[in-house]
Amino acid sequence: MTADAPRGADAPPELVQLLTPEGERVEHPDYDIDLTAEEVRSLYRDLVLVRRIDLEAVALQRQGELGIWASLLGQEAAQIGSGRALTDADMAFPTYREHGVAWCRDVDPVKLLGLFRGVSNGGWDPAEHNFHLYTIVIGSQALHAVGYAMGIQRDGAEAATIVYFGDGATSQGDVNESFIWASVFNAPVVFFCQNNQWAISEPLEKQTKIPLYKRASGFGFPGIRVDGNDVFACLAVTRRALQNAREGQGPTMIEAFTYRMGAHTTSDDPTRYRLADELEAWKLKDPIERVKAYLFKNRLADQEFFEKIDAEADALGKDVRSRCLALPDPPPRAIFDHVYAGAHSLLDEEREQYLTYLAGFER
């Protein structure tokens, strides 16, 4: 990167890309994908609807209806592409930003909002959706994913796990320990790193001296970098990595080279540490606009289709908002209900102390 070039503005030469920012289809010698017109339209719909959910959640937080929100703005292609590569038997382990993957796993968006509103501890059944609960502790979900993958391996099941984390998490011990276990035991897991260039306010060069995907080779398994704003490439690369894992070829690390268009969370102000021209450069690589351009150029969709999707997105936004505002507040004692599977003497004691404290306000 030069002083005149915004961070990540020029695509790295080793990047797997199947759809350019201008909406032109390109071939890759190792990765390709054959999508029908209906499949491309479906991916476009996913991208638009997920962004609408995200924008509605940001608005709800700004209006005091959510405690915080981690936006996925700009990372939709990485999440939808990888999420649609999963089979029903595969298990996904998210961070706190994988709203697009949750959409692909049929998790009700309001369940996500309930967590950030503080009315639930998760809200969905991981076994029902094969989508684990959100993980706030940076990197710990990598250990969970590898352990689950080793269980799949021992059960002899035809499935794999995928674990999501950001560029900042690659500096965490949990993630690196997961790499070791996955490699040594040849676990059927895909490590999906969404490199959005910033770990809150820390730029990528504070995390690594080499491209993140190259770290995999040091642990003994392959790594690949994909255009994280290209939903076609993300789908093709993740589909191949998952299939390799299911066939016993072990782990793969995917670095989705993308950009966090918004704040780290709604408590963050990115204007304090990054330049406006960097953001403007990445806007030209918008994951939704390139698919829209592809559909237009190839006459796979008309204006009526796009208007229909926009109307559906508006209706979804209104529905998500109204159902979020209608979520009931749990009673204060409910926080103790699901800490352990059964009774626990110390927890019982703490519950009684807390209820006595609350009762003091009723006099």
Side-chain angles (χ1 to χ4, degrees):
M1 187 183 74
T2 67
D4 296 324
R7 185 184 314 277
D10 295 324
E14 67 272 29
L15 195 78
V16 175
Q17 184 182 79
L18 300 180
L19 187 65
T20 70
E22 297 74 30
E24 297 291 340
R25 186 75 165 82
V26 292
E27 302 299 322
H28 190 277
D30 299 319
Y31 293 91
D32 203 0
I33 194 167
D34 185 18
L35 297 170
T36 66
E38 184 56 38
E39 287 171 331
V40 177
R41 287 192 291 265
S42 180
L43 288 171
Y44 177 81
R45 174 179 178 271
D46 284 337
L47 295 169
V48 172
L49 296 187
V50 164
R51 179 171 290 186
R52 186 64 179 84
I53 293 166
D54 184 68
L55 294 175
E56 195 64 43
V58 171
L60 284 164
Q61 194 283 328
R62 297 307 190 202
Q63 294 160 8
E65 299 298 343
L66 301 181
I68 196 171
W69 181 254
S71 173
L72 59 59
L73 186 64
Q75 298 176 219
E76 296 91 349
Q79 295 192 17
I80 295 300
S82 61
R84 289 303 182 196
L86 295 164
T87 67
D88 291 342
D90 296 331
M91 186 70 172
F93 289 80
T95 66
Y96 44 78
R97 200 187 301 275
E98 273 66 58
H99 320 312
V101 186
W103 172 263
C104 294
R105 302 309 268 177
D106 294 325
V107 176
D108 184 348
V110 177
K111 297 286 189 181
L112 308 180
L113 299 184
L115 175 64
F116 290 93
R117 190 172 169 85
V119 301
S120 77
N121 292 321
W124 63 90
D125 180 359
E128 179 184 351
H129 300 279
N130 272 23
F131 183 77
H132 204 269
L133 298 177
Y134 274 6
T135 304
I136 308 301
V137 179
I138 304 299
S140 66
Q141 72 276 10
L143 294 170
H144 309 157
V146 173
Y148 195 100
M150 291 169 67
I152 290 174
Q153 192 177 50
R154 282 149 181 76
D155 290 341
E158 189 176 346
T161 67
I162 187 169
V163 56
Y164 293 88
F165 51 91
D167 45 292
T170 61
S171 296
Q172 293 284 4
D174 284 356
V175 172
N176 288 273
E177 290 168 14
S178 300
F179 289 168
I180 295 170
W181 279 82
S183 177
V184 170
F185 288 93
N186 207 45
V189 57
V190 173
F191 296 102
F192 196 93
C193 175
Q194 292 176 84
N195 176 7
N196 63 20
Q197 314 302 315
W198 291 94
I200 309 182
S201 59
E202 289 294 301
L204 180 63
E205 56 263 29
K206 294 290 183 70
Q207 305 293 338
T208 183
K209 283 282 190 178
I210 64 171
L212 290 175
Y213 78 96
K214 290 187 176 181
R215 287 190 177 185
S217 63
F219 291 92
F221 56 89
I224 185 167
R225 177 182 272 180
V226 63
D227 183 348
N229 286 20
D230 176 356
V231 71
F232 293 177
C234 288
L235 176 58
V237 169
T238 310
R239 184 178 283 172
R240 170 83 65 81
L242 286 166
Q243 187 58 37
N244 289 344
R246 297 185 205 106
E247 293 175 353
Q249 298 182 44
T252 300
M253 179 179 176
I254 298 172
E255 177 193 357
F257 198 80
T258 182
Y259 191 76
R260 194 193 75 213
M261 298 293 288
H264 173 71
T265 69
T266 47
S267 64
D268 171 45
D269 178 9
T271 63
R272 298 180 64 182
Y273 54 81
R274 69 185 190 189
L275 300 175
D277 63 343
E278 181 178 310
L279 179 62
E280 291 304 313
W282 276 93
K283 283 182 179 179
L284 299 176
K285 301 181 177 187
D286 186 278
I288 296 179
E289 290 304 316
R290 70 174 68 185
V291 179
K292 186 174 185 178
Y294 176 80
L295 287 168
F296 257 129
K297 289 179 179 179
N298 292 277
R299 299 182 179 180
L300 301 179
D302 55 18
Q303 188 59 36
E304 183 181 358
F305 167 79
F306 294 111
E307 290 174 357
K308 180 181 177 181
I309 296 298
D310 289 343
E312 184 181 3
D314 287 341
L316 176 61
K318 292 176 182 178
D319 175 68
V320 165
R321 166 176 286 272
S322 63
R323 289 195 292 128
C324 174
L325 297 178
L327 289 171
D329 292 333
R333 65 171 293 152
I335 195 171
F336 296 94
D337 289 350
H338 301 294
V339 178
Y340 294 101
H344 190 282
S345 59
L346 179 58
L347 189 68
D348 292 341
E349 179 182 343
E350 292 175 346
R351 181 192 294 109
E352 291 308 314
Q353 290 175 349
Y354 183 61
L355 293 178
T356 300
Y357 166 75
L358 289 179
F361 294 97
E362 298 174 359
R363 300 190 182 119

